[in-house]
Amino acid sequence: MDQSGHTPKHKEHQHPGEDHKVLKKLDDIYHRIQKDYHLSKLKLSEALFNTQKKIEEAYEDAKTRAAKIKLRVWKIFLVFTIVFYVLGIGFASVGTFSPSYTIQKVSFTTEISYNRAMANRDMLFNNVSILPDNLEIFTVSAYLLTPTHPAETKLPGIVWSHGMVVNAEANLHNAMDLAAAGFKVLATNLPGHGDSGGLWDFGLNGLQVIWSAVEYMSTLEDVDPSKIAVMGHSNGGLVTTRAGIFDKTPLGTGGKIKAVGSIWGYTDLQDTFKAVLGTDVIDDEKWGVFLSTFMGCSNGVISSEDVARRSIGGFINGTNIPNYYLMTGDTDGLTTVDIQFTLFEQATDGWYNTSILSSEYEKNPNINIENLGNSHFSFVNGTARKLTILPGQDHVEEVLTSANMDLMIDWMVRSLNLAPENHIPRTCTSKLNIEFCYISRIFGGYFILVGTLMLILMVGFLTAKRIFPKAADTIPKYVPLINIKENLDLKEEEIHELVKKDQEFRIDYIGDPVKFVNSWKTKTFYMFLIIGCFISGISISWLVDQYFLRFWLINTYIWQYFWTAVFLFGAVNVMIFLNRRGEKNTRKIDLKRIGLTFKGFLKAFQFLIFVIGIPLLSYNIFAIIFKYPKIFPRPYSPRLYLEVLVFFLMTFFFYFNLEIISKTQLFEKQNIYPNFKGYLQEIVINGSIIWLMWLISYLIGGVFINSKLKWLLLQGNTGSAAIVVIGIIMIGFQGFMAYTSAFFYQQTRNIYAIAFIQAAAVTLLMTGKYIFIYSVI
């Protein structure tokens, strides 16, 4: 500011040289920045290209390694399946086929016995009826065994009957032994067993089968109708004994049964239950909840009348049963030696009383007594009697010991007045020891069954890739041996640049968690799904008493299954509630990630058909060839199949809840397993979680089992041992299913699929009639 107060003006012009220098400097800076920018862009592109190339190479390497892992798994399944099937076929061939006899599958109906029963429906014996409440005509399946080199033109015939819970196929080795000794043998499936029709009712309906079988055999051209006997083990012994007692009545065959052989015997249900359970269960409704069905009593309780109708001791005497041979092991947990003595006393009209027999047994446990020392008793008039107590043999050993069959064969030769040289026991004529044949047949069946289980895994492994291609493709994606952040040393912005270029890399390699869906629509759908299952479970439980009385084993355990499912349902809902509250300890639920969509349901059902259907068909083909018990051979019955469906839905409800909890809350899917060990690790962790949860929920559900079962469990007798054995089988079976389901989940990532598989397996175990029965309603 000058003295006048005015601000002086800047010089309007600068030196031209200075302006030029400034512009040149700015231009140099601009060109340098531009050059650096292009160079940086080129370097970044080159770096990204090289990085992506490394990733692709690593991905291809990972796929190669994953393929090797899958090939190794495939080879394991294939090798074990072939090995078990080959062993099964080998052992089954040795134990089943023989040059001594031929085996033919036959069937016949109970019409002839039904007509007699209807004509004499009001007939009573000791004021009770021995006819079944649900009298009907049904088809009986059986095996007809014929000696290949018979010594006689007309063969003696024997009707062989299996025990309860098993079937004709399971006890076919006994029929084979008889056929090899020169007898024409008809091995029948009793009502409710194998693929016979009818319903099981413990000793009533079975009479219709035995009498119809005797009539069928008497019509065969190569059988001498005057030389037919009946024989059986356990329940088969009970039924054949009763058939012999009433054979000469208007209900029987008119005396065509000439001899009876029974391996195991009882006087009546009351004495047997006291011996087995240590208590009297008659007229007790709490015991009747499950035992009445097990024993074939339709009124929900085992009454005194039920006992009388199914009794042997109440009817048998010294004249009404033809040439009777009773044989029992002294360690048989389903009866007692004293019961055998009582039965033999009644069968000889007191000629041998219980006190004398007990005294003899104390001196020598190897009891082998005949009543032929008295002239009143003889084979000719059908009053011959024999009792054998087998030292150290239990209920299973009785029917698996060939020496016992030798004794039975000798009795039949004498009873039917046959030439002994024409019916030498198989142990004397076979090049192989008969015990080896028995064991071979048993092992052959088990090997084929295990081979079928391996086939289930193999079919599931191969089928999953086609039905669930996205889930199957994730297997190599979870095998990569690289971690981008660690191994490729990329910056965060470079990673995101890659993500923009290929979204797949984020899922495959970086390991970012899939975002969970948590919308109100998802929660609503999920709640309706669970509530629907719960309501279905309640409805099913209401129908239990109406539908499940045919399956006694299910009737015993159904409430435990139901309450276990209810417990799991409660746990699922607590989980959802905490999730809605935003609790950090719960994981958000993504239905799509675990396959809970309609499309996922349809795929899971398709998967079930392949995984269960193909191996089941394979097993049944082998079962038909080698005469083993078939799985699910039930005669058509709408109500029967409805019961199976209801039980399947009940068990599905249970496993569905169990798997939801596991897969959404407890089990975190591993994104990386770099080798075969890691591949198995995911299965082991997942399966162990499921198995542990099942054990916990099973114990919780066990609180609700029948109070009598809880009491029985602590008694330390045969009944408690049976419960423990069944429990161990169930725990072991569930362990197998837990790891199998974990394997299938690894292939499918679908909850429906693994719940279907587990429910189908349990349903087949309970109702498939490989073993077990269906009973009265």
Side-chain angles (χ1 to χ4, degrees):
M1 182 177 291
D2 59 14
Q3 294 180 354
S4 63
H6 297 284
T7 304
K9 295 182 179 180
H10 293 286
K11 294 180 179 181
E12 296 180 0
H13 300 284
Q14 300 290 339
H15 193 279
E18 293 180 359
D19 291 340
H20 179 73
K21 290 179 180 180
V22 170
L23 291 174
K24 185 177 180 181
K25 187 175 183 179
L26 289 174
D27 186 59
D28 290 342
I29 293 172
Y30 171 76
H31 284 293
R32 192 184 316 123
I33 291 174
Q34 191 176 36
K35 183 179 179 180
D36 291 342
Y37 170 75
H38 286 296
L39 182 61
S40 299
K41 186 176 180 180
L42 181 62
K43 288 182 178 180
L44 178 61
S45 298
E46 184 179 356
L48 290 175
F49 175 79
N50 291 335
T51 301
Q52 185 168 348
K53 186 177 180 181
K54 290 180 182 179
I55 291 176
E56 289 175 351
E57 290 175 354
Y59 178 59
E60 291 301 321
D61 181 65
K63 287 203 303 183
T64 302
R65 298 192 184 194
K68 291 181 179 179
I69 291 176
K70 295 174 71 176
L71 181 61
R72 185 177 177 184
V73 173
W74 158 251
K75 286 181 177 179
I76 290 174
F77 287 151
L78 182 62
V79 168
F80 275 96
T81 302
I82 293 175
V83 167
F84 281 117
Y85 272 135
V86 168
L87 288 174
I89 292 171
F91 280 106
S93 299
V94 172
T96 302
F97 302 116
S98 169
S100 302
Y101 53 78
T102 59
I103 307 176
Q104 178 186 359
K105 185 71 180 293
V106 298
S107 63
F108 53 91
T109 72
T110 59
E111 182 177 5
I112 188 169
S113 296
Y114 171 83
N115 291 335
R116 289 172 181 157
M118 292 302 294
N120 300 276
R121 193 169 182 83
D122 297 329
M123 182 172 290
L124 301 179
F125 300 88
N126 294 345
N127 298 318
V128 294
S129 173
I130 63 169
L131 295 176
D133 297 325
N134 55 324
L135 189 61
E136 61 180 345
I137 299 174
F138 56 88
T139 300
V140 179
S141 70
Y143 292 93
L144 189 63
L145 291 83
T146 306
T148 51
H149 304 290
E152 298 132 327
T153 305
K154 290 286 190 177
L155 296 172
I158 295 180
V159 175
W160 169 262
S161 297
H162 59 81
M164 185 172 64
V165 178
V166 292
N167 40 53
E169 292 84 355
N171 281 170
L172 197 60
H173 58 276
N174 302 102
M176 296 171 181
D177 210 354
L178 294 170
F183 293 91
K184 185 92 168 184
V185 185
L186 185 65
T188 62
N189 268 308
L190 292 173
H193 295 71
D195 45 0
S196 281
L199 295 173
W200 170 247
D201 57 6
F202 204 81
L204 301 182
N205 234 348
L207 295 177
Q208 311 300 307
V209 172
I210 301 301
W211 288 329
S212 297
V214 170
E215 294 288 1
Y216 173 83
M217 179 161 278
S218 67
T219 63
L220 299 177
E221 293 182 358
D222 58 346
V223 172
D224 185 344
S226 66
K227 295 182 178 181
I228 296 177
V230 294
M231 187 189 304
H233 171 249
S234 189
N235 166 67
L238 157 70
V239 175
T240 53
T241 299
R242 285 170 53 84
I245 292 172
F246 300 108
D247 188 51
K248 293 181 180 179
T249 71
L251 299 175
T253 67
K256 290 181 180 178
I257 297 177
K258 303 302 181 182
V260 176
S262 176
I263 306 176
W264 187 83
Y266 86 149
T267 50
D268 58 39
L269 286 172
Q270 190 168 21
D271 290 343
T272 300
F273 277 129
K274 285 181 179 179
V276 175
L277 305 179
T279 186
D280 190 355
V281 304
I282 307 305
D283 297 320
D284 188 323
E285 292 183 0
K286 290 184 178 180
W287 280 110
V289 168
F290 65 97
L291 282 181
S292 63
T293 305
F294 177 57
M295 307 318 292
C297 307
S298 59
N299 51 7
V301 65
I302 301 177
S303 66
S304 299
E305 183 180 353
D306 290 326
V307 172
R309 295 177 68 190
R310 293 162 174 81
S311 170
I312 291 179
F315 301 108
I316 194 170
N317 58 45
T319 58
N320 64 358
I321 183 171
N323 298 333
Y324 179 52
Y325 185 8
L326 175 61
M327 174 189 296
T328 307
D330 64 357
T331 59
D332 190 318
L334 300 181
T335 187
T336 66
V337 172
D338 288 337
I339 288 177
Q340 310 309 301
F341 291 162
T342 301
L343 190 57
F344 193 68
E345 177 181 5
Q346 294 173 317
T348 59
D349 286 336
W351 184 259
Y352 288 94
N353 61 53
T354 303
S355 59
I356 294 177
L357 292 171
S358 297
S359 177
E360 291 293 328
Y361 179 69
E362 290 179 2
K363 298 176 183 177
N364 181 10
N366 190 6
I367 296 292
N368 197 36
I369 297 176
E370 297 181 358
N371 68 342
L372 298 176
N374 187 291
S375 58
H376 295 289
F377 306 107
S378 69
F379 288 112
V380 177
N381 60 19
T383 57
R385 305 286 185 262
K386 183 176 181 179
L387 172 66
T388 297
I389 302 298
L390 307 166
Q393 293 191 25
D394 59 25
H395 198 68
V396 176
E397 290 173 308
E398 296 166 353
V399 76
L400 290 178
T401 303
S402 62
N404 298 344
M405 294 303 296
D406 294 346
L407 294 173
M408 280 289 174
I409 290 170
D410 176 72
W411 180 260
M412 294 304 166
V413 168
R414 297 161 66 195
S415 295
L416 301 178
N417 194 25
L418 305 174
E421 63 274 12
N422 294 336
H423 303 281
I424 300 174
R426 190 177 172 188
T427 49
C428 298
T429 59
S430 176
K431 294 181 180 179
L432 292 175
N433 187 286
I434 187 61
E435 303 284 358
F436 179 77
C437 295
Y438 284 9
I439 295 173
S440 293
R441 180 166 168 79
I442 294 172
F443 273 93
Y446 283 132
F447 280 130
I448 290 175
L449 188 60
V450 173
T452 302
L453 296 178
M454 293 302 300
L455 184 62
I456 289 175
L457 296 177
M458 189 168 68
V459 171
F461 182 78
L462 297 176
T463 306
K465 186 174 182 179
R466 287 153 181 80
I467 298 181
F468 303 95
K470 292 182 179 180
D473 288 342
T474 62
I475 293 178
K477 293 176 184 178
Y478 292 138
V479 183
L481 309 181
I482 62 171
N483 182 313
I484 291 179
K485 295 180 181 179
E486 296 178 0
N487 296 351
L488 299 182
D489 194 26
L490 292 179
K491 296 180 181 180
E492 193 70 27
E493 58 269 19
E494 293 176 324
I495 295 176
H496 289 300
E497 183 70 21
L498 286 174
V499 169
K500 291 179 182 179
K501 289 191 173 185
D502 193 344
Q503 185 75 9
E504 195 175 77
F505 285 138
R506 178 179 65 87
I507 299 175
D508 294 344
Y509 294 100
I510 301 175
D512 287 349
V514 179
K515 293 181 180 180
F516 290 99
V517 178
N518 199 28
S519 66
W520 67 270
K521 292 182 180 180
T522 299
K523 289 182 178 180
T524 302
F525 173 78
Y526 189 74
M527 287 298 294
F528 271 106
L529 185 67
I530 297 298
I531 291 173
C533 288
F534 181 65
I535 293 174
S536 300
I538 293 292
S539 302
I540 291 169
S541 69
W542 180 75
L543 297 173
V544 164
D545 287 336
Q546 299 180 46
Y547 285 114
F548 281 97
L549 291 181
R550 294 194 188 191
F551 298 100
W552 65 267
L553 191 64
I554 293 178
N555 206 40
T556 304
Y557 282 92
I558 190 64
W559 283 109
Q560 186 172 359
Y561 258 102
F562 174 72
W563 287 113
T564 303
V566 170
F567 160 72
L568 292 173
F569 170 77
V572 168
N573 279 273
V574 169
M575 174 188 74
I576 295 174
F577 174 76
L578 293 176
N579 180 249
R580 295 183 64 184
R581 290 284 301 273
E583 295 289 339
K584 295 181 179 180
N585 293 328
T586 61
R587 299 177 186 273
K588 295 181 180 180
I589 300 168
D590 177 18
L591 297 177
K592 189 174 182 180
R593 187 183 185 190
I594 59 176
L596 291 186
T597 63
F598 181 70
K599 187 176 181 180
F601 177 85
L602 295 179
K603 287 187 174 182
F605 188 73
Q606 183 182 1
F607 184 69
L608 172 68
I609 293 175
F610 279 100
V611 173
I612 296 297
I614 293 176
L616 198 64
L617 178 62
S618 172
Y619 172 81
N620 280 335
I621 290 174
F622 282 111
I624 292 173
I625 294 173
F626 295 105
K627 315 301 184 290
Y628 282 118
K630 295 183 290 296
I631 298 178
F632 223 14
R634 301 180 182 280
Y636 177 72
S637 168
R639 183 164 185 174
L640 202 61
Y641 280 88
L642 179 61
E643 294 166 16
V644 175
L645 176 61
V646 169
F647 183 71
F648 173 80
L649 293 176
M650 178 77 79
T651 52
F652 175 79
F653 171 53
F654 165 70
Y655 287 110
F656 184 70
N657 286 299
L658 184 70
E659 293 291 349
I660 286 176
I661 296 175
S662 169
K663 300 304 183 291
T664 63
Q665 303 299 301
L666 301 178
F667 176 70
E668 183 176 4
K669 180 175 62 178
Q670 297 185 10
N671 288 335
I672 299 175
Y673 38 88
N675 49 37
F676 188 68
K677 181 179 179 181
Y679 182 86
L680 296 178
Q681 185 179 16
E682 184 183 18
I683 298 176
V684 172
I685 294 174
N686 190 357
S688 298
I689 290 173
I690 288 293
W691 198 9
L692 179 61
M693 287 186 62
W694 182 88
L695 287 173
I696 295 173
S697 57
Y698 191 69
L699 292 175
I700 293 174
V703 175
F704 299 93
I705 66 174
N706 188 288
S707 60
K708 296 296 185 181
L709 280 179
K710 297 177 189 176
W711 172 86
L712 181 60
L713 187 61
L714 303 175
Q715 300 309 302
N717 54 23
T718 303
S720 60
I723 296 176
V724 171
V725 169
I726 292 175
I728 292 174
I729 292 174
M730 291 297 294
I731 291 172
F733 177 78
Q734 182 55 42
F736 171 79
M737 288 308 305
Y739 293 109
T740 301
S741 69
F743 168 76
F744 284 142
Y745 183 70
Q746 189 186 60
Q747 314 304 313
T748 65
R749 306 295 174 186
N750 186 291
I751 292 291
Y752 285 127
I754 55 178
F756 273 147
I757 293 296
Q758 292 179 92
V762 172
T763 302
L764 286 173
L765 177 68
M766 294 290 194
T767 68
K769 279 176 62 176
Y770 180 80
I771 55 175
F772 306 140
I773 56 176
Y774 56 96
S775 186
V776 299
I777 55 175

